[in-house]
Amino acid sequence: MIIGEALKQERNHLGLTQNEMIQGIIHKSHYSKVERGIEGISADSLFKILFAHHIDVDNFLGLIKNEYISKDEKKAEELEHRIMVAFNNSDKNEIEKCLQEVLKLPGNKILKYRIVVAVAAFRDQLDELSIDIKENIVDEFTKHDTWLDSIDALRLFANCMPVFSEEQLNNCIQQVLKRYSTNNTSEPMTERIAIICNNYLYYCYYYTHINNKNVENCLYYLKKLDNRSHFMFYRIAGLFFKYMFEGNKKKAKQIRAQLVNWGYGSRVSSWKI
């Protein structure tokens, strides 16, 4: 869907005329051509129109994204979605199939590293990752001088924690929490940090058996997430790991059982008690 088509769809959903939609921001004749795909629209004018009607920018960008990204990027996103679904369903055949397709993608180095480590963890073969792979991942991560502001770097860190040394890992977690513990973080970034906290807790409990100040701070971050349903799973995951670190497996089992009853069984299949 191109920008004009998405604007028309949003306008129709709101029940507005073209004049009501543009609110004098641009000329009606120009806007009409934008909707028909004859002319483009500046980013400045586009966002003024979206904000004037409280249209969710993330949802709007989602409508048009596939029209403006390359075929290779589109394929990479589809594969990433497929393999995440396969992980949630513990579908070994689909995971292996997706892995091979990901490795054949041109470029997408960070995605490949993330999937390779995730698959190794799923196979319980993290110890079999080569030294070269581990060093390459850390080298790729350290290329990002401003990694705290890089979505790619944060995703790489979230999925590749096992390749970092304990010192590197703890230092990075400290920086993440220091930077993003305020209430000024956007919702997508808040979720990314929640994922990082969740992955760190999982890795510490099941792999390194470390219980340190960073664990305490990650638990606190998840506990303090607001009550939007979007964050519910992360808050519950934080409570699960709190009980696990405290040795209260009875409470942890109750939480896991409740999540299974609510239909989250595939997402908690790796939560061994």
Side-chain angles (χ1 to χ4, degrees), residues 20-197:
E20 290 170 334
M21 185 70 166
I22 60 177
Q23 292 194 353
I25 295 168
I26 57 177
H27 292 295
K28 181 183 175 183
S29 59
H30 173 46
Y31 179 78
S32 178
K33 291 176 182 177
V34 171
E35 281 199 357
R36 288 178 285 156
I38 298 173
E39 293 183 359
I41 184 172
S42 71
D44 185 64
S45 296
L46 173 62
F47 285 113
K48 283 181 179 178
I49 291 172
L50 296 179
F51 292 144
H53 299 289
H54 307 288
I55 295 171
D56 188 288
V57 175
D58 288 332
N59 287 342
F60 185 86
L61 294 177
L63 292 175
I64 66 174
K65 184 175 182 178
N66 284 342
E67 187 67 30
Y68 297 95
I69 64 174
S70 68
K71 290 182 179 179
D72 288 339
E73 286 300 318
K74 191 182 299 185
K75 177 67 173 177
E77 288 199 353
E78 291 171 353
L79 278 172
E80 185 173 6
H81 176 71
R82 277 177 53 197
I83 201 166
M84 290 304 109
V85 171
F87 277 129
N88 286 340
N89 294 328
S90 298
D91 187 337
K92 296 180 181 180
N93 291 333
E94 177 69 358
I95 289 171
E96 296 297 333
K97 182 179 178 180
C98 288
L99 172 62
Q100 296 309 312
E101 292 185 49
V102 167
L103 293 177
K104 292 176 183 177
L105 288 172
N108 286 284
K109 185 185 296 185
I110 289 178
L111 174 61
K112 290 176 182 177
Y113 286 148
R114 290 169 56 212
I115 299 304
V116 165
V117 174
V119 171
F122 178 80
R123 295 171 175 164
D124 198 20
Q125 296 176 347
L126 286 171
D127 291 340
E128 297 179 26
L129 286 172
S130 71
I131 298 296
D132 286 344
I133 284 288
K134 294 179 180 179
E135 290 180 348
N136 288 340
I137 290 173
V138 174
D139 287 345
E140 182 65 32
F141 178 75
T142 55
K143 285 180 182 178
H144 298 266
D145 293 332
T146 56
W147 66 271
L148 285 167
D149 299 311
S150 169
I151 293 175
D152 278 340
L154 289 171
R155 285 174 174 169
L156 185 66
F157 177 63
N159 293 123
C160 299
M161 289 182 184
V163 309
F164 290 86
S165 69
E166 183 179 331
E167 181 180 359
Q168 289 171 327
L169 183 58
N170 285 324
N171 181 55
C172 288
I173 284 290
Q174 287 172 9
Q175 291 185 61
V176 166
L177 293 174
K178 182 178 179 180
R179 175 66 176 276
Y180 292 108
S181 289
T182 67
N183 295 323
N184 299 324
T185 309
S186 68
E187 184 172 332
M189 185 59 78
T190 298
E191 183 173 13
R192 290 187 192 102
I193 305 309
I195 290 170
I196 287 174
C197 288

